[in-house]
Amino acid sequence: MEIPGLPDTGGRPTLSDEARLVYQFLAEVQDGASPDDVRRGTNLSADRLDQAVDRLTTLKLLCESSQRAGTLRALPPDSARMQLVWPIVRELNRRRREVDAIREVFSELSQVYESASLHAARTSPLEVVRDLDSVRRTITQLAAEAAEEVITAQPGGARSAETLKESLERTDELLGRGVRLRTLYQHPARFNTVTTEFVRHVTALGAEVRTQSDGFMRLLLFDGEVAVTSLRDDRCGALIVRDPHMIDFMRTTFEQAWSRATPFAPEYDPAIVDRTLDDTKTAIAQLLVEGLEDKVIARRLGISLRTCQRHISDIMRRLGAKNRLHLGYLLHSRRIRERGVAPHTSADTVGASYGDVD
């Protein structure tokens, strides 16, 4: 704020040297002095003296003496400051009250807007959430509100330690409230130590976990009312679904996959290991029939490319295929889609088959 009488030099008000000199001279002369006396005592020209007197008078630091006509007298700075600053302080207080009133109005409107947005989001059949932090907050809120059952389907093989750690507290809280939790992974998750320990922990609290080779979408379904699934073009975002028809479709798809899946027991079971290996080889054969490349098949089944190619070599050996073209012919002729190709695999080959999945 600009102060009258003080020139603004770079945002910092200053008093001229001439004005300071005049004020000092008059402060030393208690009875006041005439303009001529001031001019002689300060060696200032008439013009410079007039400018200095004008500034000092504006700042309430100078006035005409009431005792001696035609003389000037210096006034105490404290008195001058009060006269000059008080109107400014009063104006600042008025402006502050205006600001507070505006803030209060907009704060109230912000609450109305947020409430309306939340209501719209809760009633909208589809909502796209783009950033990962918002997705996590949404999942945490939906989990906290769940009362009956939470369904999760997590394709992609073994789960990362960071992902499992982030969900552990939320999972414990759900199970502690008696909410049923069912989780579907892909078979390679069985051969990952971190995932196995997580499953051991949550199943002890009542969770149900199964695995399947392929054929299910990424999904979180809360009380059969709200679903969270991944976006096609954004790994960090998610689609929030509330449309009851889509929810029914997702639920039916999950139940079909769940009925075909194998229970995930943390303890090593050779028979279950053989079955999961057979399922994986059968799924690979089916995807080969569909014409998918090795890297696409590996990504679909949550295994490494090297493991996928090792399984393909084993299928070729078991069927007696001379090359990949011959393998395709044999797979079609044996009607892989209905029967599968992989006989039970010995349990002692697990390490060789899945040693690089972790």
Side-chain angles (χ1 to χ4, degrees):
M1 179 178 292
E2 184 178 352
I3 300 177
L6 289 179
D8 188 356
T9 57
R12 184 177 180 180
T14 60
L15 193 65
S16 67
D17 293 337
E18 291 85 354
R20 291 175 183 273
L21 182 61
V22 170
Y23 183 78
Q24 181 177 353
F25 178 84
L26 290 172
E28 293 174 352
V29 181
Q30 295 295 322
D31 295 334
S34 67
D36 291 337
D37 292 338
V38 176
R39 187 168 54 254
R40 286 192 294 271
T42 59
N43 294 321
L44 293 176
S45 65
D47 290 340
R48 288 184 177 274
L49 177 61
D50 289 343
Q51 292 176 4
V53 169
D54 287 342
R55 287 185 180 178
L56 292 171
T57 303
T58 302
L59 292 175
K60 313 298 183 184
L61 291 170
L62 196 66
C63 71
E64 290 189 4
S65 175
S66 60
Q67 298 178 356
R68 294 173 57 192
T71 61
L72 301 172
R73 183 168 64 89
L75 297 173
D78 288 344
S79 173
R81 182 173 64 247
M82 287 300 296
Q83 294 183 61
L84 184 67
V85 172
W86 177 243
I88 299 175
V89 171
R90 192 165 51 211
E91 176 65 15
L92 288 175
N93 288 336
R94 186 184 69 80
R95 290 299 184 110
R96 188 177 297 111
R97 289 193 297 270
E98 288 184 358
V99 170
D100 291 341
I102 293 173
R103 284 176 174 170
E104 184 176 352
V105 170
F106 279 92
S107 176
E108 180 181 352
L109 292 177
S110 296
Q111 295 176 6
V112 172
Y113 181 83
E114 291 174 3
S115 177
S117 299
L118 181 60
H119 175 74
R122 288 180 175 275
T123 56
S124 175
L126 297 175
E127 177 189 359
V128 176
V129 180
R130 288 291 180 181
D131 64 288
L132 184 58
D133 288 340
S134 295
V135 172
R136 286 174 173 170
R137 284 195 299 269
T138 300
I139 292 175
T140 299
Q141 180 179 354
L142 291 172
E145 295 173 352
E148 298 179 4
E149 182 182 44
V150 175
I151 288 172
T152 70
Q154 302 288 357
R159 312 297 294 153
S160 70
E162 179 183 0
T163 299
L164 295 177
K165 181 179 179 181
E166 190 269 332
S167 67
L168 183 60
E169 181 178 352
R170 184 168 58 237
T171 303
D172 285 351
E173 194 274 336
L174 268 174
L175 296 170
R177 290 191 285 110
V179 178
R180 186 186 183 192
L181 176 63
R182 288 189 290 163
T183 298
L184 186 60
Y185 292 142
Q186 286 184 291
H187 288 324
R190 293 175 176 272
F191 307 100
N192 176 264
T193 302
V194 175
T195 307
T196 301
E197 288 302 317
F198 177 82
V199 171
R200 190 189 311 277
H201 174 80
V202 298
T203 52
L205 298 176
E208 302 170 65
V209 185
R210 296 185 183 182
T211 64
Q212 185 176 315
S213 59
D214 188 27
F216 60 95
M217 67 175 70
R218 188 177 306 279
L219 174 68
L220 287 87
L221 183 57
F222 300 89
D223 287 340
E225 296 179 352
V226 184
V228 180
T229 188
S230 55
L231 298 175
R232 182 181 63 178
D233 58 346
D234 188 348
R235 293 175 59 87
C236 296
L239 178 67
I240 315 300
V241 180
R242 295 181 175 85
D243 180 81
H245 304 290
M246 296 185 66
I247 293 293
D248 286 347
F249 170 77
M250 291 177 168
R251 179 65 177 263
T252 300
T253 302
F254 174 86
E255 294 295 352
Q256 291 174 350
W258 182 262
S259 65
R260 297 191 301 267
T262 304
F264 190 156
E267 293 72 23
Y268 178 78
D269 186 333
I272 293 180
V273 169
D274 287 344
R275 178 179 173 182
T276 58
L277 289 175
D278 290 349
D279 287 348
T280 301
K281 287 185 172 64
T282 299
I284 290 174
Q286 291 172 338
L287 296 175
L288 285 171
V289 170
E290 295 177 12
L292 298 184
E293 297 180 358
D294 293 359
K295 61 182 180 181
V296 177
I297 295 174
R299 186 167 60 250
R300 279 271 299 266
L301 301 185
I303 59 179
S304 70
L305 177 60
R306 185 171 63 178
T307 298
C308 179
Q309 292 173 338
R310 188 181 297 128
H311 284 316
I312 293 173
S313 298
D314 187 52
I315 294 172
M316 292 178 64
R317 179 180 59 80
R318 291 176 184 277
L319 293 180
K322 299 177 182 179
N323 51 47
R324 296 291 287 267
L325 182 62
H326 188 207
L327 174 63
Y329 168 78
L330 293 176
L331 291 175
H332 278 288
S333 64
R334 287 172 177 263
R335 301 175 65 184
I336 293 306
R337 288 198 172 103
E338 289 77 22
R339 298 186 316 205
V341 299
H344 285 296
T345 307
S346 173
D348 59 12
T349 65
V350 173
S353 297
Y354 283 91
D356 61 333
V357 172
D358 294 354

